[in-house]
Amino acid sequence: SWFNDSLVKKMAPPVNDKKDLGNEIDLSLEYAYSEDVTMGLLFGYFIKGDFIKNAVEAVSGAGSSTNAMQVVGSVAVAF
């Protein structure tokens, strides 16, 4: 899945005039081992947009070049 996140309204107080929050890319895999056992893996990656880059710079005085990432594994067993 791909999501382009942006502000609909300006936040108060406005940090800047940018509305682009960023892009989120999710990859989800699920495997049914049997009728009762399911395994899953989710990978999520968020690429910062101009709004977040400028907000971090305004608060900390320096921009961060890292984007957010997460990996989640799951196992579900039904009795």
Side-chain angles (χ1 to χ4, degrees):
S1 303
W2 169 72
F3 303 96
N4 179 265
D5 303 323
S6 60
L7 291 175
V8 176
K9 296 181 186 177
K10 288 189 178 186
M11 296 176 63
V15 177
N16 54 43
D17 59 351
K18 305 288 185 186
K19 292 185 178 183
D20 179 31
L21 294 176
N23 291 291
E24 178 182 348
I25 301 167
D26 296 329
L27 176 62
S28 176
L29 302 169
E30 190 170 296
Y31 175 67
Y33 179 73
S34 68
E35 185 177 300
D36 299 326
V37 179
T38 304
M39 293 174 261
L41 182 65
L42 171 69
F43 174 75
Y45 191 73
F46 182 76
I47 303 164
K48 295 184 298 188
D50 291 335
F51 181 85
I52 294 176
K53 286 178 187 174
N54 292 342
V56 168
E57 197 172 288
V59 172
S60 68
S64 174
S65 62
T66 59
N67 294 312
M69 178 179 84
Q70 76 174 0
V71 178
V72 179
S74 64
V75 176
V77 179
F79 293 97

